[in-house]
Amino acid sequence: MPRLNRLTSDTAVGASRDLLADLEARHGRPGDMVATMANSPAVLGGYLQLSRAMGRAKLDRAISERISIAVQAHQGCGLCLDAHTAAARARGVDDEEIERARRGTSADPAIAAIIALALRIHREPTSITDEQVGALREYGYSDRAIADVVGVVALNVLTGSFNLLAGLTPGSDPDA
């Protein structure tokens, strides 16, 4: 059962109303997370800006989705985990690799290394070593792609934490 109200451009006020109206005009009805984030214009605006910025990330989207799966499996947001699993499948990631991502790894050593970095960023960023970053460079990751991992993790922490606080779970949409 959701803990926070879902808003629309008719029920939201101020900046949230404007953001939702713009989203509704461009994309139709926003999903539960976005509509619920509208309770805080700062959170909704920040999420939208970070989400757009990460759309320009250098990191390959299939890898980014595996990172998201690993982070969400650790964080425990079922709604995000379902969404990222579907997105990974749409990017051609097979079920075995999706299961590996849930466990925080990959059959591909280069992908396993960048997932490991993402989980360290999420769990214990002070434990990141020069050797770990150097190994990523040896696998061919640019500094930009390595830096993008922080954005992917941050976006997942924001969305997963928000959904868990708000009580949004798979199937919790009252209009579904």
Side-chain angles (χ1 to χ4, degrees):
M1 178 87 155
R3 295 183 187 114
L4 300 178
N5 292 321
R6 184 182 190 287
L7 302 178
T8 67
S9 59
D10 294 329
T11 59
V13 297
S16 289
R17 180 185 58 237
D18 296 342
L19 289 167
L20 286 175
D22 180 57
L23 287 170
E24 289 170 2
R26 289 186 296 131
H27 304 290
R29 176 182 174 250
D32 281 345
M33 181 187 75
V34 169
T36 306
M37 279 183 173
N39 284 287
S40 168
V43 171
L44 178 57
Y47 162 73
L48 293 172
Q49 288 177 13
L50 182 55
S51 183
R52 278 188 217 113
M54 292 314 300
R56 297 184 301 273
K58 180 72 172 166
L59 193 60
D60 178 85
R61 289 297 299 260
I63 294 171
S64 176
E65 292 301 340
R66 285 183 247 195
I67 290 169
S68 296
I69 290 168
V71 170
Q72 293 303 344
H74 179 262
Q75 188 162 258
C77 178
L79 190 62
C80 292
L81 191 55
D82 285 357
H84 290 293
T85 296
R89 282 190 182 114
R91 298 244 176 235
V93 179
D94 65 36
D95 288 341
E96 288 179 13
E97 271 301 295
I98 288 170
E99 184 53 37
R100 285 184 188 99
R102 285 177 185 246
R103 293 190 318 263
T105 192
S106 172
D108 181 324
I111 296 172
I114 205 149
I115 290 172
L117 173 71
L119 289 173
R120 279 198 180 203
I121 291 166
H122 183 237
R123 294 176 180 160
E124 50 186 341
T126 59
S127 71
I128 297 167
T129 65
D130 293 343
E131 292 77 22
Q132 187 176 23
V133 174
L136 290 170
R137 286 189 184 111
E138 287 179 19
Y139 282 123
Y141 292 107
S142 67
D143 285 0
R144 179 177 173 182
I146 294 167
D148 283 343
V149 175
V150 175
V152 173
V153 172
L155 188 57
N156 277 280
V157 169
L158 173 62
T159 59
S161 297
F162 183 85
N163 287 335
L164 291 166
L165 166 75
L168 300 177
T169 60
S172 67
D173 184 351
D175 299 326

